[in-house]
Amino acid sequence: MQFCWECFCSDSTVKNYLRLFGTEEMAKRYGIRGKEVLINRIKGNQENNWRNSELRRNVIDDYEYYRLIFYTGNFEKVKNKSKNPKGSLGWSSSFIRSGIRLFLIYLYEKTLPSKAAASIAAYIGFSDTKDGESRMYFENKILEECHKHKVSEFWNYFQRWKRHFPMGEEERKRYLSWAEEIVCSRADAIVSGQHRNHYGEVAGLLAIVGEIKESMGMSGAKSEIFVQYKNRFPRHSSFQKEMKYYFNM
């Protein structure tokens, strides 16, 4: 356990942080202390970490820093960083592409991911451990759980982490309202502008918004969103195909 904490202190990545939630004992002893490391952050470029192996400098780029800020429970700070660019385009050079997905995957309540949730988790997550790589005892247990439930290691760790950073009902609703407005604006901009490479992205985002709303007691919300966008863009067959896939309709 101490080894995992030292790994995070020397190489502060999301993967190394979430490993601290591999067991309840680790989470209580080390996981909740993550913010201590970020206080002494060495800044890197906006999007790319660069670590000097000779000097062993733990450099954290802006994007990784704000992702870690989210995981240490400072949700409001991450929301403020997640600014939607003018016209809801240009996400590739903005933190919002990660920020909005972090909130949506957090607000998703089911233990196992839907198609939309799995797609979003794959975007913001990390690669599974490769065969042959050394693992600690708790990592072997997690890997067994992942194989049993057919989920990624990131998904498993995320669910373990989430239990330690609960959010109140009113706060959840407030973040969902904010996220839904941005997702709908993004979908309208992408489809009306015929940015076909992003049809799947916005279809998945719309689907998970519907799933979250239904989990909050808004019956039929997912179907309503599907019908709304089917009627709004009836001639965009490629978009409709992506919608049917992520909405299971």
Side-chain angles (χ1 to χ4, degrees):
M1 293 188 294
Q2 177 70 25
F3 172 76
C4 292
W5 172 249
E6 291 172 353
C7 283
F8 176 64
C9 290
S10 62
D11 188 9
S12 301
T13 65
V14 167
K15 184 173 184 177
N16 281 343
Y17 180 60
L18 292 185
R19 284 177 73 202
L20 299 175
F21 294 86
T23 69
E24 286 297 309
E25 182 181 357
M26 289 173 64
K28 293 175 181 178
R29 190 169 181 179
Y30 298 111
I32 59 174
R33 295 174 53 194
K35 65 179 80 173
E36 297 175 15
V37 176
L38 299 183
I39 292 174
N40 299 315
R41 170 201 179 195
I42 300 175
K43 291 186 178 182
N45 296 327
Q46 178 167 293
E47 296 186 62
N48 301 301
N49 285 359
W50 179 81
R51 289 179 170 81
N52 187 313
S53 58
E54 183 179 349
L55 297 178
R56 298 185 181 278
R57 300 173 72 232
N58 181 27
V59 180
I60 309 174
D61 67 65
D62 280 357
Y63 284 11
E64 191 77 347
Y65 171 74
Y66 280 101
R67 284 189 284 262
L68 287 167
I69 285 292
F70 180 89
Y71 287 115
T72 56
N74 195 337
F75 302 127
E76 194 64 20
K77 186 171 183 177
V78 176
K79 174 181 176 289
N80 293 335
K81 176 67 176 177
S82 303
K83 302 295 185 182
N84 193 19
K86 186 176 181 180
S88 296
L89 298 174
W91 276 28
S92 62
S93 58
S94 174
F95 178 76
I96 194 171
R97 71 177 192 262
S98 294
I100 197 76
R101 287 175 168 88
L102 285 168
F103 279 101
L104 290 172
I105 208 70
Y106 178 96
L107 295 172
Y108 181 85
E109 293 187 357
K110 292 183 178 179
T111 305
L112 298 178
S114 62
K115 291 177 181 177
S119 174
I120 292 170
Y123 188 97
I124 61 173
F126 45 76
S127 301
D128 286 349
T129 305
K130 296 180 181 178
D131 292 338
E133 292 185 14
S134 60
R135 302 186 185 94
M136 301 184 73
Y137 73 98
F138 72 88
E139 292 176 308
N140 287 322
K141 182 179 179 181
I142 287 174
L143 191 61
E144 290 176 6
E145 291 180 1
C146 293
H147 288 162
K148 178 181 178 180
H149 299 294
K150 299 180 180 179
V151 298
S152 67
E153 290 177 34
F154 168 76
W155 183 266
N156 187 300
Y157 278 112
F158 192 95
Q159 301 308 309
R160 290 167 178 265
W161 161 83
K162 185 177 172 180
R163 294 196 292 265
H164 297 273
F165 292 91
M167 188 183 290
E169 183 178 354
E170 291 304 313
E171 190 178 11
R172 291 172 62 84
K173 290 180 179 178
R174 179 169 62 86
Y175 282 124
L176 175 60
S177 178
W178 164 77
E180 181 179 13
E181 182 179 351
I182 291 175
V183 167
C184 290
S185 177
R186 171 72 168 171
D188 291 346
I190 289 297
V191 184
S192 62
Q194 297 187 26
H195 300 281
R196 298 176 185 271
N197 291 339
H198 296 283
Y199 283 177
E201 168 202 330
V202 295
L205 292 173
L206 288 167
I208 199 170
V209 166
E211 291 164 355
I212 294 167
K213 293 181 77 171
E214 289 191 346
S215 71
M216 290 184 177
M218 304 175 210
S219 180
K222 189 175 178 182
S223 295
E224 289 178 9
I225 294 174
F226 179 83
V227 172
Q228 176 186 347
Y229 277 85
K230 181 179 180 181
N231 293 336
R232 184 173 297 179
F233 301 105
R235 294 191 177 91
H236 294 71
S237 58
S238 296
F239 175 63
Q240 296 295 339
K241 182 179 179 180
E242 297 288 355
M243 290 282 287
K244 290 177 180 177
Y245 174 77
Y246 284 108
F247 280 77
N248 285 322
M249 294 181 181

